[in-house]
Amino acid sequence: MKIILLGPPGAGKGTQADILRKKLNIGKIATGDMLREAVASGTPLGKQVQDIMAKGHLVPDKTMIDVLFGRIHKADCALGFVLDGFPRTLAQAEALDRALAFEDAAIDRVIELKVDDEKLMKRIVGRYACAKCGAGYHDSFKRPMQAGVCDACGSKEFIRREDDKAQTVAKRLETYHMQTEPLLPYYRVQGKLLSVDGMAEIEEVARQIDEVMGMGKKNAKNS
Ligand SMILES: [Zn+2]
């Protein structure tokens, strides 16, 4: 089973990719991890990626596909894979389809995690963590029991990630709408697109994915 997860950053793709990896015994490929592994491998391709990233350039689509195909030929992807963070543009989606077709393969399912921009913004921007033990909190949804004091370790210092700031999140959402959303009709006409409510709780999103993929019965039998 070859699956692509689509949704803006913060929609929970990584979490759902983990769940699918375990459930289907397939490889999970997150773009960031994949590029880091490629660099760490020290292969000629890895060195090429390292040079590109050291210069602060974006990794070209052709190189991404080469790295990806190195990754999907590893043992953990024998039964398939779930992609988190690739493809991000129509050109990448087309390049991926062409490369897979060359191996007589194809993407089976594309799962869209539908989000509400405003709610997602609130969810991400409110996040912060204890600077000492890393316990996670949220301005609206999970405050410490005693204001300003970590429940877990008593520390009074907290940190907010640069990635979680409103301006950064807004920019990433805009990029998603402009560059990645055109992939939805692209996969819809291929009959591969499935959509779930990405704003629901993690377990509910996982349940909806099971449902749209028709995995419900199988799981009931296994449990
Ligand atoms: Zn703490």
Side-chain angles (χ1 to χ4, degrees):
M1 180 68 79
K2 299 177 186 65
I3 303 168
I4 292 171
L5 283 180
L6 284 181
K13 294 192 299 294
T15 307
Q16 295 303 327
D18 275 328
I19 294 172
L20 283 166
R21 173 179 64 81
K22 283 181 205 145
K23 204 172 278 174
L24 299 171
N25 194 21
I26 56 180
K28 174 198 171 184
I29 306 177
T31 313
D33 297 342
M34 178 182 86
L35 291 175
R36 273 188 294 276
E37 281 166 23
V39 169
S41 73
T43 60
L45 183 59
K47 289 209 174 79
Q48 196 186 325
V49 172
Q50 189 171 26
D51 288 344
I52 295 164
M53 296 204 306
K55 286 178 191 147
H57 295 167
L58 282 175
V59 179
D61 291 352
K62 162 100 179 47
T63 312
M64 281 294 266
I65 297 278
D66 287 346
V67 176
L68 178 66
F69 274 69
R71 180 67 189 80
I72 66 180
H73 290 136
K74 290 195 175 165
D76 65 326
C77 295
L79 295 178
F81 54 81
V82 50
L83 289 179
D84 163 12
F86 189 89
R88 274 182 206 220
T89 64
L90 200 50
Q92 289 180 347
E94 288 166 350
L96 176 61
D97 275 354
R98 280 195 302 270
L100 283 169
F102 199 71
E103 298 195 346
D104 242 341
I107 293 296
D108 298 297
R109 292 279 182 265
V110 178
I111 303 168
E112 176 201 13
L113 301 182
K114 274 182 178 299
V115 301
D116 173 305
D117 278 14
E118 235 170 275
K119 280 188 202 159
L120 183 70
M121 187 81 142
K122 196 178 171 197
R123 187 160 95 180
I124 299 172
V125 172
R127 293 197 293 217
Y128 61 99
C130 171
K132 202 174 157 200
C133 75
Y137 297 98
H138 193 284
D139 291 328
S140 310
F141 311 124
K142 197 189 172 208
R143 297 190 193 125
M145 283 188 285
Q146 195 186 332
V149 182
C150 176
D151 293 344
C153 76
S155 166
K156 290 178 181 170
E157 269 180 67
F158 297 91
I159 41 169
R160 283 175 196 268
R161 287 172 13 137
E162 198 62 38
D163 269 7
D164 293 348
K165 297 205 168 131
Q167 229 181 337
T168 318
V169 178
K171 210 173 156 200
R172 281 184 310 189
L173 276 170
E174 198 190 304
T175 306
Y176 177 77
H177 290 309
M178 280 176 53
Q179 295 192 346
T180 310
E181 254 174 22
L183 271 66
L184 300 175
Y186 175 76
Y187 288 119
R188 189 175 291 122
V189 298
Q190 293 189 16
K192 294 174 181 171
L193 185 70
L194 304 166
S195 296
V196 299
D197 175 13
M199 299 311 295
E201 297 288 329
I202 290 168
E203 295 76 18
E204 171 58 16
V205 178
R207 192 198 63 77
Q208 288 186 19
I209 290 176
D210 282 0
E211 192 178 293
V212 295
M213 292 197 28
M215 302 197 299
K217 274 180 201 153
K218 203 170 132 202
N219 287 329
K221 213 193 279 173
N222 289 348
S223 60

